[in-house]
């Protein structure tokens, strides 16, 4: 039975692929000068958008609200479907080219247009909100299990979520932070599940997935900034002392404060590394998958449909492998971010050992 | 390039979403989840400790029961031995008592036999004496001539009788 289902699914996928091929070939037959612009396609898929693509249709998108503050100080809110076709609505349009290409601009006479304050619910913002909602639903399902079943161990999906919480909290946060674990666990666990959900949603190609969230520098910047703020705002006196007057030979910190400068830069490089690591890992994974799929179209164009079909088998297999690998990377990167945040926060909670003993006595 | 220039709107919404998510989960979800997990871990630890304790108790109880049974068997053997000893002792005592009693009875019988023998001797003597006197009287009555000679003869006869006895 299982074999039959697998065969049917595989055949269905193959048929869909073939159908897509033929449709695509038909679509492009008329335009002789059409060339696959790989770079544009890649960045269109990885970037943000006003509206959410639906499968098998290139022109129709799920409309999302655009919220902008114009140069006159007035707020404007409308659905993205009013401008995604290239129209101008209330003086706003999506720039086709120029400095603000792909963004909403206001006509003000200049060719680039005026870039307003843009608080639009773009595809990425919508993705973030969906991810946040999913995390809330998941965690409340775990919480409600305890409310309903008391001490009984969770089953199925809830058990899996609890397993991950247990892994992150009991095996990572608690051993590192000790008695401070309870205080910072909510932030770290929230960060972990939010990143994990965003990573995994990014791997699903159709709505509600498909938004390249953690592969966007703005998203990882906010996450790293939060860790940076918590680390430095809760840092102890001893932590700051170690930065500006570390325990190294005096020659290294006076008269030229070499170590203090290095330590001070370390404050910023640590969250920066967090930001770039997550961003680059997720972006890289997505990019490889897109390039592998694009190879089919590039080869079809450069050689023939036959070569393209042949390539598709290889590239789909490789893309599938990459997606599986990305699933693993999604977990690893979420975990690495959480682990490093835990370590950074814990490092800022250095206590003078003598002082600590005196406080305990 | 767009990917490397953080868009302000996206940063703003991301921050809002993350902060909201944090506050909701930190208030309603994480404390409950962590506490429940730790409580359950404690419960399981306690259960394991309890089971181990119960097992050791059970083992002890078994050993104790074995000890009790062994003790009881020993006691039983002791009691049986004592009983046997007591039985022989009682029999011995009874035998002894019976012997003593028997001796007493024999002795009493001998004494009474002796007594009755003496009594009968006395009686006999008395009777013999009386007979002798009667005989002597008869004799004396017949031979009243010589009083003195007669009396001597009687004495002599009586002494003879006495010595004869």
């Amino acid at each position: 039975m299982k074999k039959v289902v697998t065969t049917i699914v595989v055949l269905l996928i193959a048929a869909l692929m073939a159908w897509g091929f033929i449709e695509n070939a038909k679509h492009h037959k008329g335009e002789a000068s059409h060339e696959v612009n790989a770079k544009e396609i890649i960045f269109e898929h990885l970037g943000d958008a006003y509206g959410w693509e639906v499968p098998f249709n290139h022109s129709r998108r799920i409309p999302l609200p655009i919220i902008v503050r114009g140069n006159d100080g007035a707020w404007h809110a409308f659905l993205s479907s009013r401008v995604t076709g290239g129209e101008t609505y209330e003086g706003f349009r999506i720039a086709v080219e120029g400095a603000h290409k792909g963004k909403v601009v206001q006509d003000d006479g200049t060719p680039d247009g005026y870039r307003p304050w843009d608080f639009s619910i773009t595809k990425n913002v919508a993705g973030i909100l969906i991810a946040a909602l999913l995390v809330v639903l998941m965690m409340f399902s775990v919480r409600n299990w305890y409310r309903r079943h008391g001490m009984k161990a969770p089953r199925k999906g809830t058990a899996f979520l609890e397993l991950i919480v247990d892994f992150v909290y009991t095996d990572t946060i608690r051993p590192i932070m000790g008695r401070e674990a309870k205080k910072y666990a909510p932030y770290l666990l929230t960060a972990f599940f939010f990143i994990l959900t965003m990573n995994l949603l990014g791997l699903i190609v159709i709505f509600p997935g498909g938004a390249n969230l953690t592969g966007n520098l703005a998203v990882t910047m906010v996450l790293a900034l939060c860790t940076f703020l918590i680390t430095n705002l809760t840092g102890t006196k001893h932590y700051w002392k170690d930065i500006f007057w570390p325990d190294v030979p005096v020659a290294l910190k006076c008269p030229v404060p070499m170590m203090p400068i290095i330590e001070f830069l370390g404050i910023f490089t640590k969250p920066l590394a967090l930001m770039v690591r997550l961003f680059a890992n997720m972006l890289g994974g997505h990019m490889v998958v897109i390039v592998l799929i694009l190879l089919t179209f590039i080869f079809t164009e450069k050689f023939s449909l036959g070569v393209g079909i042949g390539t598709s088998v290889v590239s789909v297999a490789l893309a599938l492998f990459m997606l599986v690998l990305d699933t693993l990377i999604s977990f690893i990167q979420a975990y690495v971010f959480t682990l490093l945040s835990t370590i950074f926060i814990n490092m800022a909670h250095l206590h003078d050992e003598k002082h600590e003993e005196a406080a305990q006595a | 390039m767009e990917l490397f220039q953080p868009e302000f709107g996206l940063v703003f919404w991301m921050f809002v979403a993350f902060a909201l998510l944090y506050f909701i989960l930190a208030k309603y979800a994480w404390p409950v989840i962590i506490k429940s997990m730790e409580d359950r871990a404690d419960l399981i630890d306690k259960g394991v400790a309890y089971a181990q304790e119960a097992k050791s108790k059970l083992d002890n109880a078994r050993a104790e029961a074995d000890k009790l049974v062994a003790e009881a068997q020993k006691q039983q053997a002791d009691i049986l031995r004592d009983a046997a000893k007591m039985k022989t002792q009682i029999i011995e005592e009874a035998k002894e008592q019976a012997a003593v009693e028997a001796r007493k009875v024999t002795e009493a019988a001998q004494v009474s036999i002796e007594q009755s023998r003496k009594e009968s001797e006395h009686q006999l003597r008395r009777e013999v004496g009386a007979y002798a006197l009667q005989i002597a009287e008869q004799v004396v009555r017949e031979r009243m001539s010589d009083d003195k000679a007669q009396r001597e003869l009687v004495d002599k006869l009586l002494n003879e009788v006495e010595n004869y006895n």
Side-chain angles (χ1 to χ4, degrees), chain A residues 171-190:
Chain A
D171 295 344
T172 310
I173 300 172
R174 209 167 56 184
I176 293 173
M177 297 199 112
R179 59 208 168 92
E180 279 187 324
K182 275 232 168 74
K183 199 171 156 197
Y184 295 98
Y187 166 70
L188 295 164
L189 283 168
T190 307

Side-chain angles (χ1 to χ4, degrees), chain B residues 38-151:
Chain B
E38 283 181 344
D39 284 356
R40 199 168 72 237
D42 284 350
L43 186 77
I44 291 167
D45 285 352
K46 261 184 226 157
V48 169
Y50 180 78
Q52 276 172 342
E53 202 182 315
K55 193 184 170 292
S56 70
K57 259 187 198 164
L58 191 68
D59 290 348
N60 280 353
R62 203 163 289 152
E64 227 155 85
D66 286 349
K67 218 165 74 185
L68 278 179
V69 166
E71 216 164 275
Q73 274 170 344
K74 208 180 128 212
Q75 257 172 359
Q76 188 196 23
D78 281 354
I79 288 166
L80 282 176
R81 204 164 44 240
D82 282 355
K85 219 183 323 201
M86 212 182 276
K87 187 181 83 180
T88 46
Q89 204 180 340
I90 286 167
I91 291 169
E92 289 290 315
E93 269 172 21
K95 270 184 188 164
E96 252 169 54
Q97 228 159 8
V100 168
E101 208 67 20
R103 205 160 48 235
K104 264 189 201 160
V105 170
T106 347
E107 269 167 18
Q110 272 174 346
V111 168
S112 71
I113 288 167
E114 188 79 6
Q115 251 173 356
S116 48
R117 196 178 55 97
K118 272 185 184 161
E119 229 163 79
S120 51
E121 261 178 14
H122 277 280
Q123 210 171 352
L124 190 66
R125 194 173 164 162
R126 270 198 305 276
E127 275 172 19
V128 169
Y131 282 136
L133 278 177
Q134 275 174 2
I135 295 166
E137 254 179 43
Q138 300 279 326
V139 172
V140 167
R141 243 174 245 155
E142 278 172 27
R143 296 179 190 178
M144 283 298 273
S145 55
D146 192 1
D147 234 12
K148 200 182 166 207
Q150 296 302 324
R151 216 170 273 159

Side-chain angles (χ1 to χ4, degrees), chain A residues 347-361:
Chain A
M347 266 169 22
H349 289 228
L350 271 177
H351 292 282
D352 206 341
E353 261 148 48
K354 279 176 202 160
H355 181 76
E356 186 82 336
E357 274 164 24
Q360 274 177 352

Side-chain angles (χ1 to χ4, degrees), chain A residues 115 119 143 162 174 190, chain B residues 7 13 28 30 38 40:
Chain A
R115 177 87 176 101
F119 290 96
R143 185 192 82 131
E162 199 217 55
R174 209 167 56 184
T190 307
Chain B
E7 194 65 37
W13 284 113
Y28 298 108
W30 298 127
E38 283 181 344
R40 199 168 72 237

Side-chain angles (χ1 to χ4, degrees), chain A residues 260-278:
Chain A
I261 287 173
I262 291 171
E263 290 277 356
F264 187 70
L265 284 177
I267 298 176
F268 301 100
T269 53
K270 280 182 220 157
L272 216 66
L274 275 185
M275 171 174 96
V276 174
R277 181 183 298 109
L278 182 57

